[in-house]
Amino acid sequence: MSDIEIARNAKLEPITKIAEKLNIGEEYLETYGKYKAKISNKLYNELKDKENGKLILVTAINPTPLGEGKTTISIGLADGLSTIGKKSILALREPSLGPVFGVKGGATGGGYAQVAPMEDINLHFTGDIHAITAANNLLAAMIDNHIYWGNELGFDRIIWKRCVDLNDRQLRKVECGLSGEKRVVPRQDGFDITVASEIMAILCLSKDIEDLKERIGNIIVGYNKDDEPIRAKQLKAEGSLAVLLKDAINPNLVQTIENTPALIHGGPFANIAHGCNSIIATKLALKLGEYVVTEAGFGADLGAEKFLDIKCRTAGLKPDAVVCVATMKALKYHGGVPKDDIKKENMEALEKGVHNLLRHVDNIKNKFGLNVIVAINRFLEDTDKEIEFLQSKLQEKGINMSLVEAWGKGGKGAADLATKVVELCENKTELNYTYALEDSIKEKIEKIATKIYGAEGVEYTEESLKIIEQIEKLGYSNLPVCIAKTQYSFSDDPKNLECKDPFKIHVKDVILKTGAGFIVVITGSIMTMPGLPKVPAAEAIDIQENGEIVGIF
């Protein structure tokens, strides 16, 4: 059966019953049909003095274009923890429509390790991402409206972009204001994908509605002729935007197809944003469950680094264990095998590709100082020879490993991983950040590049250096940095998979996000508005006469 058929045939429990498992009273619950609900952020205040459960971060090696099943492992692990008698809960990101209709497909897991209702979660869900899009674009409209009616604030340069939650490369650069009306000023602009919007980051990093409003007010939307920043609060925009986000700020409650509770909330990409679900959802989950399984997007060089250096620092969190997901196909991909041949046995490429996995594990264990276990997401084509080789290679390095078959067996297929993770959580650790907030902006970038990516240095464009200097003059050099980089490589070149030769990271742009509270550093050829592949997933998605959706994977 396909993923969508498996999800459709699952015996889901009413969402009110899932809430009862977590002792959530109906006064904190707003249902969206039978299987979805929002939880009021007020519940956290009631539980804030309760002891936290254990936090488990799921990350991965650098992926292939189709991903390595990190969400499948996360869901399988949560179900596996339930299988061995633990009270577990998931805290995941919401899927973006960009990948759903693009190349990667949905983000609700796969096989017998899925969250449901699968179609709803992958499409409009409870409308959070649409609310973020509307809030983002309301702010853009208020900027241009202010200029139309006289430009009292003296806008000389606008940096706030509109957004849409689809991959549409045609919108990367646009000419707007071409109506010819007397006071409409034409200008060049562009769109970001919604999951790269600063509003998305703000929602995910805010602690409550008041914090959300304050962060929105602090957004720098442009500069005047004296190069002084103009903020959203000067447009009196924060109240209206917060109203659009009043429901979106509350976490969404759903379930796995084995009825394990799941909070799915917020969805920033990890290659162009900070790649983690909301702090609100994660902190609430820690009060509701004994073990909380969360994930960070793409490889550990991106998602995990941002989870630890940005989210954990902001929220005062620390993972008790980290799971690093790998697949045989990805290891062979990083060993030089073309993506069309990665399903075939190739021991030479596998041996070369193990280097990618070992570097990620070393970063987690020795750079960040955390407990780590490798989870091999097993595929049907994986051979015993490949698995035995990898097991022996990891044993040589003293690295614990679990072979996970959650896709085909659900929670039972991840019970071994669950047992080992529970043991791992008992080992106390201290989280070491990659950089200090007191470091200069360039020092932060260079520490991530050299310590985490293994680069020999960083090269900057003249424009990026000017922006860094301007940020320092404005007094924001103490913010963390969020590096936008390809997910396919430790380098900023998506084709440099093996990273055998020395490389440098190339910084082409720097963007100050004062509302989110970090500095985005654009490297290589990364785009904040992706494009569709030659054959997008959208071509196979359809709705049948009986109303059933087909083609989402």
Side-chain angles (χ1 to χ4, degrees), residues 5 61 116 120 151 171-172 187 196 199 205-206 210 216 230 350 354 369 371 376 398 438 443 460 475 500-501 520:
E5 289 171 325
I61 67 171
D120 290 4
N151 196 11
L171 296 177
R172 287 172 182 164
R187 62 186 173 85
I199 301 291
L205 294 170
S206 296
E210 289 304 316
I216 289 171
I230 301 171
L350 182 59
V354 168
N371 299 316
I376 300 301
E438 296 74 28
E443 282 174 333
Y460 301 84
K500 292 183 293 187
D501 301 319
V520 175

PDB file of all heavy atoms in Angstrom, residues 5 61 116 120 151 171-172 187 196 199 205-206 210 216 230 350 354 369 371 376 398 438 443 460 475 500-501 520:
ATOM      1  N   GLU A   5      -2.617   5.451   1.473  1.00  0.00           N
ATOM      2  CA  GLU A   5      -3.570   4.360   1.737  1.00  0.00           C
ATOM      3  C   GLU A   5      -3.397   3.818   3.148  1.00  0.00           C
ATOM      4  O   GLU A   5      -4.375   3.527   3.843  1.00  0.00           O
ATOM      5  CB  GLU A   5      -3.386   3.243   0.708  1.00  0.00           C
ATOM      6  CG  GLU A   5      -3.848   3.602  -0.689  1.00  0.00           C
ATOM      7  CD  GLU A   5      -3.443   2.565  -1.730  1.00  0.00           C
ATOM      8  OE1 GLU A   5      -2.350   1.973  -1.595  1.00  0.00           O
ATOM      9  OE2 GLU A   5      -4.235   2.350  -2.669  1.00  0.00           O
ATOM     10  N   ILE A  61      22.457  12.821   8.528  1.00  0.00           N
ATOM     11  CA  ILE A  61      23.594  13.159   7.690  1.00  0.00           C
ATOM     12  C   ILE A  61      23.094  14.044   6.549  1.00  0.00           C
ATOM     13  O   ILE A  61      21.897  14.295   6.424  1.00  0.00           O
ATOM     14  CB  ILE A  61      24.304  11.895   7.138  1.00  0.00           C
ATOM     15  CG1 ILE A  61      23.386  11.139   6.154  1.00  0.00           C
ATOM     16  CG2 ILE A  61      24.728  10.983   8.266  1.00  0.00           C
ATOM     17  CD1 ILE A  61      24.100  10.026   5.408  1.00  0.00           C
ATOM     18  N   ALA A 116      -1.193  11.565  11.395  1.00  0.00           N
ATOM     19  CA  ALA A 116      -2.431  11.645  10.624  1.00  0.00           C
ATOM     20  C   ALA A 116      -3.378  12.658  11.278  1.00  0.00           C
ATOM     21  O   ALA A 116      -3.233  12.974  12.451  1.00  0.00           O
ATOM     22  CB  ALA A 116      -3.075  10.252  10.575  1.00  0.00           C
ATOM     23  N   ASP A 120      -4.574  16.215   5.398  1.00  0.00           N
ATOM     24  CA  ASP A 120      -4.820  17.519   6.022  1.00  0.00           C
ATOM     25  C   ASP A 120      -3.524  18.177   6.463  1.00  0.00           C
ATOM     26  O   ASP A 120      -3.299  19.371   6.222  1.00  0.00           O
ATOM     27  CB  ASP A 120      -5.733  17.359   7.249  1.00  0.00           C
ATOM     28  CG  ASP A 120      -7.155  16.992   6.878  1.00  0.00           C
ATOM     29  OD1 ASP A 120      -7.423  16.790   5.682  1.00  0.00           O
ATOM     30  OD2 ASP A 120      -7.995  16.904   7.787  1.00  0.00           O
ATOM     31  N   ASN A 151       4.713  59.047   2.759  1.00  0.00           N
ATOM     32  CA  ASN A 151       6.026  58.554   3.212  1.00  0.00           C
ATOM     33  C   ASN A 151       6.587  59.396   4.373  1.00  0.00           C
ATOM     34  O   ASN A 151       7.720  59.871   4.351  1.00  0.00           O
ATOM     35  CB  ASN A 151       7.021  58.537   2.043  1.00  0.00           C
ATOM     36  CG  ASN A 151       8.251  57.697   2.360  1.00  0.00           C
ATOM     37  OD1 ASN A 151       8.290  56.967   3.354  1.00  0.00           O
ATOM     38  ND2 ASN A 151       9.261  57.811   1.520  1.00  0.00           N
ATOM     39  N   LEU A 171       8.991  34.421  -9.049  1.00  0.00           N
ATOM     40  CA  LEU A 171       8.758  35.508  -8.098  1.00  0.00           C
ATOM     41  C   LEU A 171      10.017  35.953  -7.353  1.00  0.00           C
ATOM     42  O   LEU A 171       9.937  36.826  -6.487  1.00  0.00           O
ATOM     43  CB  LEU A 171       7.688  35.083  -7.078  1.00  0.00           C
ATOM     44  CG  LEU A 171       6.287  34.809  -7.626  1.00  0.00           C
ATOM     45  CD1 LEU A 171       5.368  34.331  -6.506  1.00  0.00           C
ATOM     46  CD2 LEU A 171       5.710  36.051  -8.298  1.00  0.00           C
ATOM     47  N   ARG A 172      11.155  35.359  -7.683  1.00  0.00           N
ATOM     48  CA  ARG A 172      12.374  35.733  -6.965  1.00  0.00           C
ATOM     49  C   ARG A 172      12.693  37.218  -7.127  1.00  0.00           C
ATOM     50  O   ARG A 172      13.171  37.870  -6.214  1.00  0.00           O
ATOM     51  CB  ARG A 172      13.553  34.894  -7.465  1.00  0.00           C
ATOM     52  CG  ARG A 172      13.509  33.453  -6.991  1.00  0.00           C
ATOM     53  CD  ARG A 172      14.575  32.605  -7.649  1.00  0.00           C
ATOM     54  NE  ARG A 172      14.473  31.211  -7.220  1.00  0.00           N
ATOM     55  CZ  ARG A 172      15.054  30.205  -7.839  1.00  0.00           C
ATOM     56  NH1 ARG A 172      15.787  30.426  -8.928  1.00  0.00           N
ATOM     57  NH2 ARG A 172      14.922  28.972  -7.382  1.00  0.00           N
ATOM     58  N   ARG A 187       8.887  49.869  -8.188  1.00  0.00           N
ATOM     59  CA  ARG A 187      10.183  49.455  -7.642  1.00  0.00           C
ATOM     60  C   ARG A 187      10.412  47.974  -7.925  1.00  0.00           C
ATOM     61  O   ARG A 187       9.478  47.232  -8.249  1.00  0.00           O
ATOM     62  CB  ARG A 187      10.269  49.728  -6.144  1.00  0.00           C
ATOM     63  CG  ARG A 187       9.271  48.992  -5.289  1.00  0.00           C
ATOM     64  CD  ARG A 187       9.358  49.443  -3.829  1.00  0.00           C
ATOM     65  NE  ARG A 187       8.291  48.874  -3.023  1.00  0.00           N
ATOM     66  CZ  ARG A 187       8.321  47.681  -2.445  1.00  0.00           C
ATOM     67  NH1 ARG A 187       9.387  46.911  -2.586  1.00  0.00           N
ATOM     68  NH2 ARG A 187       7.302  47.243  -1.734  1.00  0.00           N
ATOM     69  N   ALA A 196      10.447  30.724   4.881  1.00  0.00           N
ATOM     70  CA  ALA A 196      11.669  31.504   5.096  1.00  0.00           C
ATOM     71  C   ALA A 196      11.356  32.895   5.625  1.00  0.00           C
ATOM     72  O   ALA A 196      12.264  33.675   5.891  1.00  0.00           O
ATOM     73  CB  ALA A 196      12.458  31.624   3.793  1.00  0.00           C
ATOM     74  N   ILE A 199       8.331  36.238   9.810  1.00  0.00           N
ATOM     75  CA  ILE A 199       7.132  35.998  10.626  1.00  0.00           C
ATOM     76  C   ILE A 199       7.092  34.536  11.076  1.00  0.00           C
ATOM     77  O   ILE A 199       6.726  34.236  12.218  1.00  0.00           O
ATOM     78  CB  ILE A 199       5.845  36.353   9.850  1.00  0.00           C
ATOM     79  CG1 ILE A 199       5.860  37.820   9.410  1.00  0.00           C
ATOM     80  CG2 ILE A 199       4.611  36.059  10.692  1.00  0.00           C
ATOM     81  CD1 ILE A 199       5.744  38.828  10.527  1.00  0.00           C
ATOM     82  N   LEU A 205       9.776  31.207  17.606  1.00  0.00           N
ATOM     83  CA  LEU A 205      10.678  31.570  18.703  1.00  0.00           C
ATOM     84  C   LEU A 205       9.990  32.374  19.809  1.00  0.00           C
ATOM     85  O   LEU A 205      10.604  32.657  20.834  1.00  0.00           O
ATOM     86  CB  LEU A 205      11.874  32.359  18.158  1.00  0.00           C
ATOM     87  CG  LEU A 205      12.821  31.581  17.245  1.00  0.00           C
ATOM     88  CD1 LEU A 205      13.834  32.510  16.577  1.00  0.00           C
ATOM     89  CD2 LEU A 205      13.553  30.484  18.017  1.00  0.00           C
ATOM     90  N   SER A 206       8.728  32.725  19.610  1.00  0.00           N
ATOM     91  CA  SER A 206       7.996  33.499  20.616  1.00  0.00           C
ATOM     92  C   SER A 206       7.521  32.604  21.752  1.00  0.00           C
ATOM     93  O   SER A 206       7.237  31.423  21.559  1.00  0.00           O
ATOM     94  CB  SER A 206       6.776  34.186  19.981  1.00  0.00           C
ATOM     95  OG  SER A 206       7.167  35.122  19.006  1.00  0.00           O
ATOM     96  N   GLU A 210       2.212  38.201  23.685  1.00  0.00           N
ATOM     97  CA  GLU A 210       2.853  39.494  23.954  1.00  0.00           C
ATOM     98  C   GLU A 210       4.274  39.529  23.398  1.00  0.00           C
ATOM     99  O   GLU A 210       4.708  40.531  22.833  1.00  0.00           O
ATOM    100  CB  GLU A 210       2.855  39.778  25.465  1.00  0.00           C
ATOM    101  CG  GLU A 210       1.485  40.099  26.039  1.00  0.00           C
ATOM    102  CD  GLU A 210       0.818  41.277  25.336  1.00  0.00           C
ATOM    103  OE1 GLU A 210       1.499  42.300  25.089  1.00  0.00           O
ATOM    104  OE2 GLU A 210      -0.387  41.171  25.018  1.00  0.00           O
ATOM    105  N   ILE A 216       7.321  41.266  16.468  1.00  0.00           N
ATOM    106  CA  ILE A 216       6.824  41.823  15.200  1.00  0.00           C
ATOM    107  C   ILE A 216       7.139  43.312  15.132  1.00  0.00           C
ATOM    108  O   ILE A 216       7.591  43.831  14.103  1.00  0.00           O
ATOM    109  CB  ILE A 216       5.312  41.573  15.052  1.00  0.00           C
ATOM    110  CG1 ILE A 216       5.040  40.081  14.806  1.00  0.00           C
ATOM    111  CG2 ILE A 216       4.735  42.405  13.899  1.00  0.00           C
ATOM    112  CD1 ILE A 216       3.570  39.707  14.870  1.00  0.00           C
ATOM    113  N   ILE A 230      13.876  51.530   9.842  1.00  0.00           N
ATOM    114  CA  ILE A 230      12.452  51.791  10.082  1.00  0.00           C
ATOM    115  C   ILE A 230      11.825  50.451  10.479  1.00  0.00           C
ATOM    116  O   ILE A 230      11.993  49.448   9.784  1.00  0.00           O
ATOM    117  CB  ILE A 230      11.766  52.358   8.833  1.00  0.00           C
ATOM    118  CG1 ILE A 230      12.438  53.662   8.404  1.00  0.00           C
ATOM    119  CG2 ILE A 230      10.274  52.589   9.094  1.00  0.00           C
ATOM    120  CD1 ILE A 230      11.970  54.182   7.052  1.00  0.00           C
ATOM    121  N   LEU A 350      30.229   3.011  -0.259  1.00  0.00           N
ATOM    122  CA  LEU A 350      29.724   3.012   1.113  1.00  0.00           C
ATOM    123  C   LEU A 350      30.844   3.361   2.089  1.00  0.00           C
ATOM    124  O   LEU A 350      30.665   4.171   3.012  1.00  0.00           O
ATOM    125  CB  LEU A 350      29.125   1.639   1.452  1.00  0.00           C
ATOM    126  CG  LEU A 350      28.513   1.481   2.835  1.00  0.00           C
ATOM    127  CD1 LEU A 350      27.378   2.471   3.052  1.00  0.00           C
ATOM    128  CD2 LEU A 350      28.017   0.048   3.031  1.00  0.00           C
ATOM    129  N   VAL A 354      30.861   6.828   4.464  1.00  0.00           N
ATOM    130  CA  VAL A 354      30.795   6.775   5.931  1.00  0.00           C
ATOM    131  C   VAL A 354      31.457   8.003   6.551  1.00  0.00           C
ATOM    132  O   VAL A 354      31.098   8.440   7.646  1.00  0.00           O
ATOM    133  CB  VAL A 354      31.443   5.467   6.446  1.00  0.00           C
ATOM    134  CG1 VAL A 354      31.646   5.511   7.964  1.00  0.00           C
ATOM    135  CG2 VAL A 354      30.565   4.278   6.097  1.00  0.00           C
ATOM    136  N   GLY A 369      29.059  18.221  22.534  1.00  0.00           N
ATOM    137  CA  GLY A 369      29.155  17.533  23.824  1.00  0.00           C
ATOM    138  C   GLY A 369      27.928  16.731  24.216  1.00  0.00           C
ATOM    139  O   GLY A 369      27.660  16.549  25.411  1.00  0.00           O
ATOM    140  N   ASN A 371      25.028  13.317  23.920  1.00  0.00           N
ATOM    141  CA  ASN A 371      24.869  11.876  23.694  1.00  0.00           C
ATOM    142  C   ASN A 371      24.314  11.647  22.291  1.00  0.00           C
ATOM    143  O   ASN A 371      23.357  12.317  21.886  1.00  0.00           O
ATOM    144  CB  ASN A 371      23.873  11.286  24.698  1.00  0.00           C
ATOM    145  CG  ASN A 371      24.314  11.457  26.134  1.00  0.00           C
ATOM    146  OD1 ASN A 371      25.473  11.237  26.456  1.00  0.00           O
ATOM    147  ND2 ASN A 371      23.387  11.835  27.014  1.00  0.00           N
ATOM    148  N   ILE A 376      19.945   3.730  11.563  1.00  0.00           N
ATOM    149  CA  ILE A 376      19.948   3.400  10.132  1.00  0.00           C
ATOM    150  C   ILE A 376      18.519   3.126   9.697  1.00  0.00           C
ATOM    151  O   ILE A 376      17.883   2.176  10.157  1.00  0.00           O
ATOM    152  CB  ILE A 376      20.845   2.175   9.834  1.00  0.00           C
ATOM    153  CG1 ILE A 376      22.285   2.448  10.252  1.00  0.00           C
ATOM    154  CG2 ILE A 376      20.770   1.815   8.344  1.00  0.00           C
ATOM    155  CD1 ILE A 376      22.931   3.629   9.566  1.00  0.00           C
ATOM    156  N   GLY A 398      33.479   3.199  18.389  1.00  0.00           N
ATOM    157  CA  GLY A 398      32.764   3.279  19.664  1.00  0.00           C
ATOM    158  C   GLY A 398      31.430   4.003  19.570  1.00  0.00           C
ATOM    159  O   GLY A 398      30.973   4.619  20.535  1.00  0.00           O
ATOM    160  N   GLU A 438      28.926  37.017  22.415  1.00  0.00           N
ATOM    161  CA  GLU A 438      29.822  38.188  22.449  1.00  0.00           C
ATOM    162  C   GLU A 438      30.803  38.205  21.278  1.00  0.00           C
ATOM    163  O   GLU A 438      31.447  39.231  21.009  1.00  0.00           O
ATOM    164  CB  GLU A 438      30.614  38.227  23.760  1.00  0.00           C
ATOM    165  CG  GLU A 438      29.760  38.413  25.011  1.00  0.00           C
ATOM    166  CD  GLU A 438      28.979  37.165  25.398  1.00  0.00           C
ATOM    167  OE1 GLU A 438      29.448  36.033  25.075  1.00  0.00           O
ATOM    168  OE2 GLU A 438      27.894  37.296  25.990  1.00  0.00           O
ATOM    169  N   GLU A 443      33.305  36.328  13.476  1.00  0.00           N
ATOM    170  CA  GLU A 443      33.818  35.215  14.300  1.00  0.00           C
ATOM    171  C   GLU A 443      32.782  34.102  14.409  1.00  0.00           C
ATOM    172  O   GLU A 443      33.127  32.916  14.331  1.00  0.00           O
ATOM    173  CB  GLU A 443      34.184  35.726  15.702  1.00  0.00           C
ATOM    174  CG  GLU A 443      35.500  36.470  15.770  1.00  0.00           C
ATOM    175  CD  GLU A 443      35.754  37.081  17.147  1.00  0.00           C
ATOM    176  OE1 GLU A 443      34.777  37.385  17.878  1.00  0.00           O
ATOM    177  OE2 GLU A 443      36.934  37.257  17.492  1.00  0.00           O
ATOM    178  N   TYR A 460      34.031  36.677   1.791  1.00  0.00           N
ATOM    179  CA  TYR A 460      32.876  37.565   1.813  1.00  0.00           C
ATOM    180  C   TYR A 460      32.858  38.447   0.571  1.00  0.00           C
ATOM    181  O   TYR A 460      33.901  38.890   0.102  1.00  0.00           O
ATOM    182  CB  TYR A 460      32.927  38.485   3.040  1.00  0.00           C
ATOM    183  CG  TYR A 460      32.963  37.773   4.376  1.00  0.00           C
ATOM    184  CD1 TYR A 460      34.175  37.317   4.914  1.00  0.00           C
ATOM    185  CD2 TYR A 460      31.800  37.566   5.114  1.00  0.00           C
ATOM    186  CE1 TYR A 460      34.212  36.682   6.143  1.00  0.00           C
ATOM    187  CE2 TYR A 460      31.830  36.939   6.346  1.00  0.00           C
ATOM    188  CZ  TYR A 460      33.040  36.492   6.859  1.00  0.00           C
ATOM    189  OH  TYR A 460      33.074  35.863   8.078  1.00  0.00           O
ATOM    190  N   GLY A 475      24.259  48.043  16.582  1.00  0.00           N
ATOM    191  CA  GLY A 475      24.306  47.428  17.909  1.00  0.00           C
ATOM    192  C   GLY A 475      23.716  46.033  17.998  1.00  0.00           C
ATOM    193  O   GLY A 475      23.332  45.580  19.078  1.00  0.00           O
ATOM    194  N   LYS A 500      36.371  16.201  -0.248  1.00  0.00           N
ATOM    195  CA  LYS A 500      37.723  15.629  -0.072  1.00  0.00           C
ATOM    196  C   LYS A 500      38.791  16.704  -0.014  1.00  0.00           C
ATOM    197  O   LYS A 500      39.776  16.582   0.710  1.00  0.00           O
ATOM    198  CB  LYS A 500      38.037  14.664  -1.234  1.00  0.00           C
ATOM    199  CG  LYS A 500      37.206  13.398  -1.235  1.00  0.00           C
ATOM    200  CD  LYS A 500      37.622  12.465  -2.359  1.00  0.00           C
ATOM    201  CE  LYS A 500      37.296  13.049  -3.732  1.00  0.00           C
ATOM    202  NZ  LYS A 500      37.545  12.099  -4.834  1.00  0.00           N
ATOM    203  N   ASP A 501      38.611  17.753  -0.802  1.00  0.00           N
ATOM    204  CA  ASP A 501      39.615  18.818  -0.885  1.00  0.00           C
ATOM    205  C   ASP A 501      39.232  19.986   0.022  1.00  0.00           C
ATOM    206  O   ASP A 501      38.055  20.199   0.332  1.00  0.00           O
ATOM    207  CB  ASP A 501      39.737  19.306  -2.337  1.00  0.00           C
ATOM    208  CG  ASP A 501      40.138  18.182  -3.289  1.00  0.00           C
ATOM    209  OD1 ASP A 501      41.004  17.376  -2.897  1.00  0.00           O
ATOM    210  OD2 ASP A 501      39.574  18.114  -4.400  1.00  0.00           O
ATOM    211  N   VAL A 520      20.673  36.365   9.373  1.00  0.00           N
ATOM    212  CA  VAL A 520      20.732  35.345   8.315  1.00  0.00           C
ATOM    213  C   VAL A 520      21.933  35.625   7.420  1.00  0.00           C
ATOM    214  O   VAL A 520      22.140  36.756   6.974  1.00  0.00           O
ATOM    215  CB  VAL A 520      19.432  35.346   7.481  1.00  0.00           C
ATOM    216  CG1 VAL A 520      19.547  34.361   6.311  1.00  0.00           C
ATOM    217  CG2 VAL A 520      18.246  34.978   8.356  1.00  0.00           C
TER     218      VAL A 520
END
